[in-house]
Amino acid sequence: MKRRVLILNQDYSPLMVCSVERAFVLVWLNKADLVTQAEGYALHTVNDEFPVPAVIRLHKYIKLPYRGVVLTRQNVFKRDKFTCQYCGAGKELTLDHVLPRSRGGRSLWTNLVTACKRCNARKGDRLPEHADMILKTKPTKPSYMTFLRDFSGDAHAEWEPFLLRKAVV
């Protein structure tokens, strides 16, 4: 099953996304509660039928020291929806430094964009303005909540009330 499940911390703040199988095991072992189930889906055994979790809540509070999105190649591609930020192409994608590294540009969320090989070669070691190229969107660092909601690739309607909610402090 390809569905994903939103895991909430004990205070109902979003924690992570996992597979249905992992979520079911957490509920089965009484480490989490089923908050919402996926409508129209069920897990079947020889004798029983169980609801497929859509959202679960852990019994113990998990303290996370870092609640940001890690800067990786795949996460930049997800943020940019797997399209070139110059021409809109969706094939042969690479990462491009808006301010080239040779000119002091660093590998930051605000300086990296998805570009096709053709546009990346055309831009070369120049700023987009100097190469007569315009970025479709300004690169930004996604928040953890935004990333879970928009870029996990599997956000469901059942998740919305929990992703829009502020964590209790």
Side-chain angles (χ1 to χ4, degrees):
M1 180 169 283
K2 296 247 182 193
R3 284 185 66 90
R4 308 293 282 164
V5 179
L6 177 65
I7 298 180
L8 303 175
N9 218 337
Q10 187 182 27
D11 66 353
Y12 287 88
S13 62
L15 195 58
M16 67 178 63
V17 177
C18 74
S19 67
V20 168
E21 293 82 4
R22 174 127 174 91
F24 180 78
V25 168
L26 287 170
V27 172
W28 182 260
L29 295 175
N30 206 24
K31 294 184 177 194
D33 292 324
L34 179 67
V35 177
T36 17
Q37 64 187 49
E39 293 298 321
Y41 294 93
L43 295 172
H44 299 277
T45 65
V46 175
N47 298 323
D48 292 315
E49 180 176 293
F50 299 97
V52 170
V55 180
I56 65 171
R57 183 183 68 92
L58 297 175
H59 288 174
K60 289 187 177 179
Y61 184 80
I62 306 295
K63 186 174 181 180
L64 292 178
Y66 178 66
R67 295 282 299 211
V69 181
V70 179
L71 177 62
T72 65
R73 179 182 195 87
Q74 279 302 310
N75 286 346
V76 173
F77 288 162
K78 286 178 185 178
R79 179 200 65 190
D80 295 341
K81 298 180 176 83
F82 292 92
T83 58
C84 175
Q85 294 303 293
Y86 298 109
C87 72
K91 294 186 178 181
E92 296 186 325
L93 299 175
T94 63
L95 287 183
D96 177 50
H97 287 79
V98 178
L99 174 62
R101 289 171 50 185
S102 62
R103 295 181 177 209
R106 296 176 34 207
S107 294
L108 303 170
W109 280 104
T110 54
N111 193 44
L112 287 171
V113 294
T114 303
C116 65
K117 286 182 179 179
R118 184 171 176 234
C119 288
N120 204 348
R122 181 177 155 214
K123 180 180 164 281
D125 194 24
R126 301 177 287 180
L127 293 171
E129 307 84 57
H130 297 147
D132 290 328
M133 299 173 81
I134 299 169
L135 281 170
K136 293 190 178 293
T137 58
K138 182 180 177 185
T140 58
K141 180 180 179 179
S143 72
Y144 184 71
M145 299 292 187
T146 305
F147 195 79
L148 271 178
R149 186 184 68 226
D150 297 339
F151 309 125
S152 68
D154 215 10
H156 300 289
E158 297 100 341
W159 296 7
E160 282 304 313
F162 305 102
L163 293 177
L164 299 174
R165 186 174 190 272
K166 297 284 185 208
V168 178
V169 181

